[in-house]
Amino acid sequence: MLRKLLFRQAPRAYRFLSTQSTLPLLSKCSVFSYCSSSRPEIPPSNSIEHLEDQPTNTISIDRSGLCSPPEHSHEPSSDSELVKHLKGIIKFRGGPISVAEYMEEVLTNPKAGFYINRDVFGAEGDFITSPEVSQMFGEMVGVWAMCLWEQMGQPKRVNLVELGPGRGTLMADLLRGASKFKNFTESLHIHMVECSPALQKLQHQSLKCMDEENTSEGVDKRSLSTLAGTPVSWHATLEQVPFGLPTIIIAHEFYDALPVHQFQRGSRGWCEKMIDVTEDSSFHFVLSPQPTPATLYLMKRCKWAVPKEVEKLNQIEVCPKAMDLTSTLAKRIGVDGGGALIIDYGLNGVVSDSLQAIRKHKFVNILDNPGSADLSAYVDFASIKHSAEEASDDVSVHGPITQSQFLGSLGINFRVEALLQNCTDEQAEALRAGYWRLVGDGEAPFWEGPEEQVPIGMGTRYMAMAIVNKKQGIPIPFQ
């Protein structure tokens, strides 16, 4: 889901798990000398012996780092339900949790997650996404999807999948723009992958859906979008989308919300950053004294990187869910045909320390009032490329290119000129501002309105990447 017009770094954190299973692997890789200590605060100061020096045929239990919660009090707590839930997990575990687990709970907890029960998009929400800026974004993504469909041989039945559709604005603009191309729209079955009931309702409204009457038991209810007469289904996960048909997948500002693990280089090597509770019952960061399961993903990510790229970093973020999701996408595309378009803000290389929290369009501490702010991290496009290529020999990966290059090559310049021919002065100003936000870089030079409202370009901050079945050739506009 993605995701913002603001870019800056914010605090970070990580998870505690004790395991001996990764030690043989770590000892074979010089990059992975690992920090071992009794849960030091950041930065570590009392690191003890290197893990490679520890005996592997005995098991010892260090209880010095176990959580010692304050004595029970009958005083009423001002903590939110999500804060109580997070502290309960830490107390039950007897130790800290990873940043990834914290991030996942904060964003998608079924009862109190940031995305679950509210509309967080647009000017009245916490951040603005490209589809909310201008209809032209969804229209250009529609052009890309139609071009890919042409390269696929114009199949009669296609799954069009959007991951994390937000309000449904992108898909609605796509369908409006494509509605005149009947052969394309009549081939589509739209699948919206969304875990939030509140956002599902908004998407239903945006797509102007009508529910089909179905009295048969055991048959899922299906909706029909009146924008293009296209069937629409909702799913909580990608795995629920039916297999067996060519599939076009759109992931716009989705990867940036997937939970990340963070590692920090210490005197004894890489340690995973974690989140614990202090004696005064507030959240803070600590370092794991032992390797964690996410270490395997760190090893994989460093294997893909140039050694010098890792040597200069003191912190690294890895996103196991992004790697696994990309593998799933690549395997599906390799078997069923089609392609995936990924648009997000990020880097074409190892991401160091990018986790950030945004509340009401302003940066805040990620540990401040969990569940009240959006958490996101830079997308590692190089990791996506490697994950796809390792998962399937039948796919090719193209990009990343900047969002400005992507939209410009698809014809957004011609589209904005056409729209400007038939609009009021107020509409023209909105179009120019929206166009600049999508393709510009920095502040708009033509802006004459209030300084605090100056459009900020996202054209070079956001990047686009495509994963397609090799049989279809190179997708537009990545030639």
Side-chain angles (χ1 to χ4, degrees), residues 145-160 181-189 244-248 336-339 472:
M146 282 190 285
C147 289
L148 183 64
W149 175 74
E150 291 269 0
Q151 289 181 294
M152 293 159 59
Q154 300 185 15
K156 297 297 184 183
R157 297 177 63 203
V158 177
N159 287 330
L160 177 58
F181 301 90
K182 297 297 183 184
N183 289 342
F184 173 64
T185 57
E186 288 175 359
S187 73
L188 300 178
H189 185 144
L245 289 178
T247 302
I248 300 174
D336 291 341
Q472 299 156 195

Side-chain angles (χ1 to χ4, degrees), residues 345-365:
Y345 67 93
L347 301 173
N348 191 25
V350 177
V351 176
S352 176
D353 185 20
S354 70
L355 185 61
Q356 59 190 18
I358 295 177
R359 181 191 301 129
K360 299 297 180 184
H361 307 277
K362 294 182 179 179
F363 287 103
V364 295
N365 189 305

Side-chain angles (χ1 to χ4, degrees), residues 12-129:
R12 11 279 171 202
Y14 258 80
R15 165 175 186 161
F16 173 97
L17 278 172
S18 179
T19 175
Q20 297 289 339
S21 62
T22 58
L23 294 182
L25 290 171
L26 293 175
S27 64
K28 295 178 182 178
C29 183
S30 60
V31 174
F32 292 95
S33 57
Y34 212 87
C35 181
S36 178
S37 64
S38 180
R39 257 178 59 207
E41 302 258 353
I42 295 176
S45 57
N46 299 321
S47 296
I48 60 174
E49 59 199 327
H50 193 289
L51 288 179
E52 290 178 351
D53 299 330
Q54 295 180 359
T56 58
N57 58 349
T58 61
I59 297 176
S60 61
I61 301 175
D62 178 9
R63 293 183 173 84
S64 63
L66 294 179
C67 179
S68 300
E71 295 183 7
H72 177 71
S73 170
H74 293 284
E75 294 294 322
S77 172
S78 60
D79 288 346
S80 68
E81 289 302 314
L82 182 59
V83 170
K84 292 177 183 177
H85 175 69
L86 289 166
K87 291 179 178 179
I89 294 175
I90 293 171
K91 180 179 179 180
F92 177 78
R93 299 265 180 87
I97 60 176
S98 70
V99 171
E101 187 169 4
Y102 175 87
M103 188 174 176
E104 189 164 17
E105 288 288 344
V106 166
L107 296 181
T108 60
N109 179 278
K111 292 185 178 180
F114 180 76
Y115 291 131
I116 298 303
N117 299 310
R118 71 187 85 182
D119 175 13
V120 299
F121 301 94
E124 299 303 317
D126 293 272
F127 52 85
I128 298 174
T129 61

Side-chain angles (χ1 to χ4, degrees), residues 176-214:
R176 286 192 190 95
S179 60
K180 294 181 181 179
F181 301 90
K182 297 297 183 184
N183 289 342
F184 173 64
T185 57
E186 288 175 359
S187 73
L188 300 178
H189 185 144
I190 295 171
H191 298 272
M192 308 286 268
V193 179
E194 177 59 68
C195 64
S196 167
L199 290 179
Q200 285 184 10
K201 291 180 180 179
L202 285 175
Q203 294 155 17
H204 190 280
Q205 295 169 7
S206 295
L207 298 181
K208 300 191 182 303
C209 286
M210 296 178 61
D211 294 332
E212 294 182 345
E213 295 294 334
N214 195 328

Side-chain angles (χ1 to χ4, degrees), residues 373-478:
D374 177 48
L375 303 182
S376 64
Y378 276 28
V379 175
D380 181 348
F381 281 96
S383 176
I384 292 175
K385 177 180 173 67
H386 286 291
S387 298
E389 292 174 341
E390 283 195 1
S392 175
D393 293 329
D394 297 315
V395 302
S396 57
V397 183
H398 306 274
I401 59 178
T402 66
Q403 179 170 288
S404 180
Q405 292 172 308
F406 177 78
L407 296 175
S409 298
L410 290 170
I412 193 172
N413 298 338
F414 299 104
R415 180 57 175 156
V416 71
E417 289 296 334
L419 291 172
L420 286 171
Q421 297 301 315
N422 299 289
C423 63
T424 65
D425 290 344
E426 185 177 349
Q427 290 171 330
E429 182 178 346
L431 273 172
R432 283 191 287 265
Y435 170 79
W436 180 264
R437 285 194 174 104
L438 293 177
V439 304
D441 181 14
E443 296 185 356
F446 58 82
W447 185 250
E448 297 179 354
E451 185 176 346
E452 65 274 10
Q453 297 178 19
V454 59
I456 306 296
M458 300 186 289
T460 57
R461 293 174 174 176
Y462 280 70
M463 306 177 84
M465 174 176 276
I467 304 169
V468 299
N469 190 291
K470 282 183 176 178
K471 295 178 181 178
Q472 299 156 195
I474 303 175
I476 293 173
F478 294 92

